[in-house]
Amino acid sequence: MTESERTETAAPDGWGPGALREPGARGRRFDAAVRGYLARYPEATVVALGEGLGTGFWRLDNGRLNWLTVLAPEAAAVRRMLLPDGPRRRTVARAVADHRWLDAVREPERGVVVTASGTLMRLSPPAVRALLAACAERFPGGALVFDALPRRAMALARRAAGPGGGRWPGPVRWGLDRAELPRVSGAHPGIVAVREVGPAGWLRRVPVLGALTPLVCEVRFAAARSSRRASSAVS
């Protein structure tokens, strides 16, 4: 193994094994969805929207994937300082809603899976729709994995945050109930499948918890577009 290969696959200096432990339950759902996609497209690009100092690359690297982190310019500068770019790992300084980051994905025909942990819920509903449509348009055969708060949980989060914003890194602006999940496909005719990642059967048996527990969802894009009508699930 060359020095550049060792640097790319080894844990970042100072982070050690503890910092790269498996994430919490929601993070494990994201990882499972990405691993499933990489099993089909091992040379795909993983685009991590707004991941901050996340270390998903080192958890999920199969030795063949490419990793793209998309962050606002100030956060991107911090990440590059602490986690410098490598041969298969880059940081792009763009706001998530600035779709020019899509141009940074090289060889999308090898596959693209986009992750948006804690990201879409801070966008406006039109911005969520626009992002889903842009990814469906540019990444045929790709996937997008995101989390969302049910609308009741979103209302509680807003109330708890108050004018100061609370524990959330930004205002919660978009929510999604489980019953609305199939309608997400209306954001673009190229969306062919939408599913919740992970076991959710027990949530259906306990409606109160289902109305408060965040969803982790996977949206899949088709190479050929369908002609279904758009719905209002993300508007």
Side-chain angles (χ1 to χ4, degrees):
M1 179 180 290
T2 67
E3 180 62 23
S4 63
E5 290 172 331
R6 187 204 67 77
T7 301
E8 184 73 359
T9 57
D13 291 342
W15 291 69
L20 301 181
R21 286 196 301 263
E22 284 291 306
R26 202 185 317 180
R28 287 195 295 271
R29 291 186 182 187
F30 274 88
D31 284 3
V34 173
R35 287 189 179 104
Y37 189 87
L38 292 173
R40 302 189 301 274
Y41 302 98
E43 296 182 346
T45 296
V46 181
V47 182
L49 301 180
E51 73 166 335
L53 295 177
T55 54
F57 172 84
W58 290 273
R59 292 194 310 272
L60 299 169
D61 184 27
N62 61 3
R64 301 167 67 185
L65 62 81
N66 286 283
W67 193 277
L68 198 68
T69 297
V70 177
L71 290 169
E74 297 82 0
V78 174
R79 181 176 175 92
R80 285 176 178 147
M81 180 176 60
L82 298 175
L83 299 172
D85 290 356
R88 292 185 293 110
R89 179 171 42 82
R90 294 179 294 136
T91 298
V92 175
R94 294 284 184 194
V96 170
D98 179 351
H99 295 169
R100 286 178 292 178
W101 63 260
L102 283 83
D103 298 329
V105 178
R106 302 166 183 167
E107 299 182 300
E109 66 276 6
R110 295 179 181 268
V112 181
V113 55
V114 181
T115 68
S117 177
T119 301
L120 297 195
M121 65 180 71
R122 298 200 297 274
L123 300 179
S124 68
V128 173
R129 175 181 286 275
L131 179 60
L132 289 168
C135 290
E137 187 75 26
R138 294 287 296 273
F139 304 141
L144 186 149
V145 186
F146 68 92
D147 55 356
L149 290 178
R151 296 185 189 277
R152 183 179 299 179
M154 180 180 71
L156 291 173
R158 284 175 169 174
R159 191 180 308 162
R167 60 181 290 268
W168 299 97
V172 180
R173 305 174 66 189
W174 177 70
L176 182 70
D177 289 334
R178 284 176 168 80
E180 298 175 300
L181 193 55
R183 296 168 54 200
V184 172
S185 61
H188 191 274
I191 296 175
V192 294
V194 183
R195 71 180 183 100
E196 184 170 4
V197 179
W202 65 273
L203 293 175
R204 298 187 184 95
R205 295 192 296 271
V206 188
V208 173
L209 292 180
L212 298 174
T213 305
L215 303 79
V216 176
C217 310
E218 181 186 49
V219 177
R220 292 190 181 182
F221 310 128
R225 301 178 186 174
S226 65
S227 58
R228 289 173 300 179
R229 294 175 56 192
S231 74
S232 59
V234 293
S235 63

mmCIF file of all heavy atoms in Angstrom, residues 20 31 35 51 53-61 65 67 79:
data_model
loop_
_atom_site.group_PDB
_atom_site.id
_atom_site.type_symbol
_atom_site.label_atom_id
_atom_site.label_comp_id
_atom_site.label_asym_id
_atom_site.label_seq_id
_atom_site.Cartn_x
_atom_site.Cartn_y
_atom_site.Cartn_z
ATOM 1 N N LEU A 20 -14.626 6.968 15.553
ATOM 2 C CA LEU A 20 -15.214 6.369 14.364
ATOM 3 C C LEU A 20 -16.158 5.237 14.716
ATOM 4 O O LEU A 20 -16.476 4.404 13.885
ATOM 5 C CB LEU A 20 -14.104 5.852 13.432
ATOM 6 C CG LEU A 20 -13.100 6.908 12.958
ATOM 7 C CD1 LEU A 20 -12.078 6.290 12.030
ATOM 8 C CD2 LEU A 20 -13.804 8.071 12.273
ATOM 9 N N ASP A 31 -26.229 4.631 7.259
ATOM 10 C CA ASP A 31 -25.126 3.771 6.825
ATOM 11 C C ASP A 31 -25.644 2.531 6.108
ATOM 12 O O ASP A 31 -25.076 2.105 5.092
ATOM 13 C CB ASP A 31 -24.282 3.356 8.030
ATOM 14 C CG ASP A 31 -23.376 4.481 8.532
ATOM 15 O OD1 ASP A 31 -23.445 5.602 7.970
ATOM 16 O OD2 ASP A 31 -22.599 4.233 9.479
ATOM 17 N N ARG A 35 -24.624 1.515 2.357
ATOM 18 C CA ARG A 35 -23.978 0.214 2.081
ATOM 19 C C ARG A 35 -24.782 -0.590 1.060
ATOM 20 O O ARG A 35 -24.215 -1.259 0.200
ATOM 21 C CB ARG A 35 -23.814 -0.574 3.379
ATOM 22 C CG ARG A 35 -22.732 -0.040 4.311
ATOM 23 C CD ARG A 35 -22.468 -0.993 5.458
ATOM 24 N NE ARG A 35 -21.422 -0.498 6.332
ATOM 25 C CZ ARG A 35 -21.628 0.058 7.530
ATOM 26 N NH1 ARG A 35 -22.877 0.155 8.000
ATOM 27 N NH2 ARG A 35 -20.618 0.492 8.254
ATOM 28 N N GLU A 51 -22.552 17.450 6.204
ATOM 29 C CA GLU A 51 -22.123 16.481 7.221
ATOM 30 C C GLU A 51 -21.162 17.051 8.250
ATOM 31 O O GLU A 51 -20.801 16.362 9.210
ATOM 32 C CB GLU A 51 -21.491 15.249 6.574
ATOM 33 C CG GLU A 51 -20.101 15.466 5.997
ATOM 34 C CD GLU A 51 -19.381 14.158 5.680
ATOM 35 O OE1 GLU A 51 -19.711 13.129 6.311
ATOM 36 O OE2 GLU A 51 -18.517 14.172 4.799
ATOM 37 N N LEU A 53 -18.196 17.655 10.393
ATOM 38 C CA LEU A 53 -16.975 16.866 10.590
ATOM 39 C C LEU A 53 -17.291 15.373 10.659
ATOM 40 O O LEU A 53 -16.587 14.609 11.319
ATOM 41 C CB LEU A 53 -16.260 17.315 11.871
ATOM 42 C CG LEU A 53 -15.714 18.744 11.852
ATOM 43 C CD1 LEU A 53 -15.090 19.100 13.197
ATOM 44 C CD2 LEU A 53 -14.695 18.940 10.732
ATOM 45 N N GLY A 54 -18.332 14.957 9.987
ATOM 46 C CA GLY A 54 -18.693 13.550 9.966
ATOM 47 C C GLY A 54 -17.590 12.684 9.384
ATOM 48 O O GLY A 54 -16.820 13.120 8.522
ATOM 49 N N THR A 55 -17.505 11.451 9.847
ATOM 50 C CA THR A 55 -16.444 10.533 9.426
ATOM 51 C C THR A 55 -17.027 9.321 8.690
ATOM 52 O O THR A 55 -16.480 8.223 8.757
ATOM 53 C CB THR A 55 -15.624 10.071 10.641
ATOM 54 O OG1 THR A 55 -16.520 9.515 11.631
ATOM 55 C CG2 THR A 55 -14.861 11.234 11.260
ATOM 56 N N GLY A 56 -18.130 9.532 7.989
ATOM 57 C CA GLY A 56 -18.756 8.432 7.276
ATOM 58 C C GLY A 56 -17.850 7.783 6.253
ATOM 59 O O GLY A 56 -17.942 6.574 6.016
ATOM 60 N N PHE A 57 -16.959 8.551 5.632
ATOM 61 C CA PHE A 57 -16.055 7.965 4.638
ATOM 62 C C PHE A 57 -15.293 6.793 5.216
ATOM 63 O O PHE A 57 -15.178 5.736 4.597
ATOM 64 C CB PHE A 57 -15.080 9.029 4.126
ATOM 65 C CG PHE A 57 -13.988 8.459 3.248
ATOM 66 C CD1 PHE A 57 -14.200 8.235 1.899
ATOM 67 C CD2 PHE A 57 -12.741 8.139 3.780
ATOM 68 C CE1 PHE A 57 -13.196 7.695 1.095
ATOM 69 C CE2 PHE A 57 -11.737 7.603 2.998
ATOM 70 C CZ PHE A 57 -11.963 7.382 1.649
ATOM 71 N N TRP A 58 -14.758 6.954 6.423
ATOM 72 C CA TRP A 58 -13.921 5.904 7.006
ATOM 73 C C TRP A 58 -14.754 4.721 7.500
ATOM 74 O O TRP A 58 -14.250 3.614 7.592
ATOM 75 C CB TRP A 58 -13.075 6.487 8.141
ATOM 76 C CG TRP A 58 -12.019 7.401 7.596
ATOM 77 C CD1 TRP A 58 -10.779 7.066 7.164
ATOM 78 C CD2 TRP A 58 -12.131 8.816 7.408
ATOM 79 N NE1 TRP A 58 -10.102 8.169 6.710
ATOM 80 C CE2 TRP A 58 -10.911 9.267 6.855
ATOM 81 C CE3 TRP A 58 -13.142 9.748 7.663
ATOM 82 C CZ2 TRP A 58 -10.669 10.609 6.546
ATOM 83 C CZ3 TRP A 58 -12.909 11.083 7.339
ATOM 84 C CH2 TRP A 58 -11.683 11.500 6.797
ATOM 85 N N ARG A 59 -16.024 4.935 7.793
ATOM 86 C CA ARG A 59 -16.888 3.817 8.163
ATOM 87 C C ARG A 59 -17.331 3.010 6.952
ATOM 88 O O ARG A 59 -17.482 1.787 7.036
ATOM 89 C CB ARG A 59 -18.149 4.311 8.900
ATOM 90 C CG ARG A 59 -17.929 4.893 10.263
ATOM 91 C CD ARG A 59 -19.252 5.015 11.026
ATOM 92 N NE ARG A 59 -20.304 5.664 10.264
ATOM 93 C CZ ARG A 59 -20.498 6.979 10.236
ATOM 94 N NH1 ARG A 59 -19.707 7.776 10.937
ATOM 95 N NH2 ARG A 59 -21.484 7.501 9.520
ATOM 96 N N LEU A 60 -17.552 3.695 5.839
ATOM 97 C CA LEU A 60 -18.224 3.073 4.705
ATOM 98 C C LEU A 60 -17.305 2.786 3.525
ATOM 99 O O LEU A 60 -17.738 2.136 2.559
ATOM 100 C CB LEU A 60 -19.369 3.986 4.234
ATOM 101 C CG LEU A 60 -20.453 4.258 5.276
ATOM 102 C CD1 LEU A 60 -21.380 5.372 4.802
ATOM 103 C CD2 LEU A 60 -21.247 2.992 5.560
ATOM 104 N N ASP A 61 -16.067 3.243 3.593
ATOM 105 C CA ASP A 61 -15.178 3.106 2.441
ATOM 106 C C ASP A 61 -14.962 1.643 2.062
ATOM 107 O O ASP A 61 -14.587 0.816 2.884
ATOM 108 C CB ASP A 61 -13.830 3.754 2.742
ATOM 109 C CG ASP A 61 -12.895 3.730 1.542
ATOM 110 O OD1 ASP A 61 -13.393 3.698 0.396
ATOM 111 O OD2 ASP A 61 -11.673 3.740 1.757
ATOM 112 N N LEU A 65 -15.101 3.596 -3.703
ATOM 113 C CA LEU A 65 -16.046 4.713 -3.794
ATOM 114 C C LEU A 65 -15.314 6.053 -3.835
ATOM 115 O O LEU A 65 -14.126 6.152 -3.536
ATOM 116 C CB LEU A 65 -17.020 4.691 -2.616
ATOM 117 C CG LEU A 65 -16.462 4.852 -1.187
ATOM 118 C CD1 LEU A 65 -16.183 6.316 -0.823
ATOM 119 C CD2 LEU A 65 -17.423 4.273 -0.174
ATOM 120 N N TRP A 67 -15.995 10.141 -2.367
ATOM 121 C CA TRP A 67 -16.786 10.809 -1.336
ATOM 122 C C TRP A 67 -16.738 12.312 -1.550
ATOM 123 O O TRP A 67 -15.668 12.897 -1.734
ATOM 124 C CB TRP A 67 -16.225 10.473 0.049
ATOM 125 C CG TRP A 67 -17.117 10.846 1.186
ATOM 126 C CD1 TRP A 67 -17.236 12.077 1.772
ATOM 127 C CD2 TRP A 67 -18.024 9.984 1.886
ATOM 128 N NE1 TRP A 67 -18.147 12.037 2.804
ATOM 129 C CE2 TRP A 67 -18.656 10.747 2.891
ATOM 130 C CE3 TRP A 67 -18.357 8.637 1.767
ATOM 131 C CZ2 TRP A 67 -19.591 10.222 3.762
ATOM 132 C CZ3 TRP A 67 -19.297 8.101 2.628
ATOM 133 C CH2 TRP A 67 -19.901 8.889 3.616
ATOM 134 N N ARG A 79 -13.571 22.016 7.818
ATOM 135 C CA ARG A 79 -13.404 20.593 7.523
ATOM 136 C C ARG A 79 -12.092 20.338 6.776
ATOM 137 O O ARG A 79 -11.371 19.383 7.082
ATOM 138 C CB ARG A 79 -14.588 20.073 6.709
ATOM 139 C CG ARG A 79 -14.456 18.579 6.404
ATOM 140 C CD ARG A 79 -15.653 18.005 5.685
ATOM 141 N NE ARG A 79 -15.406 16.624 5.315
ATOM 142 C CZ ARG A 79 -15.721 15.567 6.056
ATOM 143 N NH1 ARG A 79 -16.309 15.738 7.238
ATOM 144 N NH2 ARG A 79 -15.453 14.348 5.639
#
